[in-house]
Amino acid sequence: MVDAAASPAPTDAAAPAPDARQTIALVDDDRNILTTVSIGLQAEGFATRVYSDGATALKALLENPPDLAVCDIKMPRMDGLALLQKLREKSALPVIFLTSKDEEPDEALGLALGADDYITKPFSQRLLIARIRAILRRSELVRSEVEAPPHDSQPDAIRRGRLLMDPARHAVTWDGKPVSLTVTEFLILETLALRPGVIKTRNQLMDAAYNDDVFVDDRTIDSHIKRLRRKFRAADPDFGAIETLYGAGYSFADG
């Protein structure tokens, strides 16, 4: 249930919003939610695309990425968790999960797999729109800029040894090779790289990566760290800049 009036269900296509600057994909098998949320987002100036199953959505999200996806967990053909797992193999697209109150284990798994946030049903559209705007502000995923290489001349660029991060473009390279990170992964790495050699606890990394009202456990942060290492090792098999101090947390080795 959402706080907007229902109207005829939209089709699995882009809704007309010629003046929208950002596009939100909605993935849910509940046609009422697709309709009401789509109407609410269009009223806020977003363009929307809607999909009623995970398999159809996955193909569309990879072929024509929106700026952010809002995805239900329980769906036919491919559930939201499977969709996210396959999406993360090829894309850092920001994802917000919609979950039911009895799906807490799924919430934790979704965050561990790389979801950027989750909202529990029934929800307020005002809350959803606020979360969407917050993630879009954090990510600044303008695709033409993300694909461009970062430059040292950028005033906010962070260089640590072979790592170069450009927050303005949400871009990361290692030895000049691009590394695609999700919003959450980027924020965790940025927190570590800003103070190389300083140990950051899991709680500190949670605070940096998530909104105050999103609760994650230690295993979620550990999962993000594992994915970060895996992505950097794809660019450099000898990557070891993210160090673990068991029982304390993580640090970035500047060298």
Side-chain angles (χ1 to χ4, degrees), residues 121-178:
K121 298 178 182 179
F123 60 91
S124 158
Q125 282 226 57
R126 291 185 294 274
L127 173 63
L128 176 60
I129 290 169
R131 296 282 185 87
I132 288 172
R133 292 193 186 282
I135 291 175
L136 291 175
R137 283 196 300 270
R138 287 160 53 199
S139 64
E140 298 185 51
L141 288 175
V142 179
R143 282 185 288 275
S144 62
E145 293 186 345
V146 171
E147 293 168 358
H151 301 285
D152 286 324
S153 59
Q154 293 294 324
D156 295 327
I158 302 166
R159 178 177 285 282
R160 297 290 184 264
R162 291 175 284 173
L163 173 71
L164 182 60
M165 302 184 71
D166 187 345
R169 300 174 187 270
H170 192 92
V172 178
T173 63
W174 180 264
D175 273 344
K177 299 176 183 177

Side-chain angles (χ1 to χ4, degrees), residues 74-151:
K74 303 297 185 184
M75 292 185 295
R77 297 185 63 193
M78 179 185 295
D79 67 21
L81 295 174
L83 167 61
L84 179 63
Q85 189 170 26
K86 291 182 179 294
L87 185 66
R88 283 292 174 255
E89 294 173 0
K90 299 180 180 180
S91 172
L93 176 74
V95 173
I96 296 176
F97 264 145
L98 299 179
T99 70
S100 299
K101 290 183 177 179
D102 59 351
E103 294 174 354
E104 289 185 6
D106 288 342
E107 293 167 3
L109 180 56
L111 292 171
L113 288 173
D116 295 284
D117 205 343
Y118 69 86
I119 295 178
T120 302
K121 298 178 182 179
F123 60 91
S124 158
Q125 282 226 57
R126 291 185 294 274
L127 173 63
L128 176 60
I129 290 169
R131 296 282 185 87
I132 288 172
R133 292 193 186 282
I135 291 175
L136 291 175
R137 283 196 300 270
R138 287 160 53 199
S139 64
E140 298 185 51
L141 288 175
V142 179
R143 282 185 288 275
S144 62
E145 293 186 345
V146 171
E147 293 168 358
H151 301 285

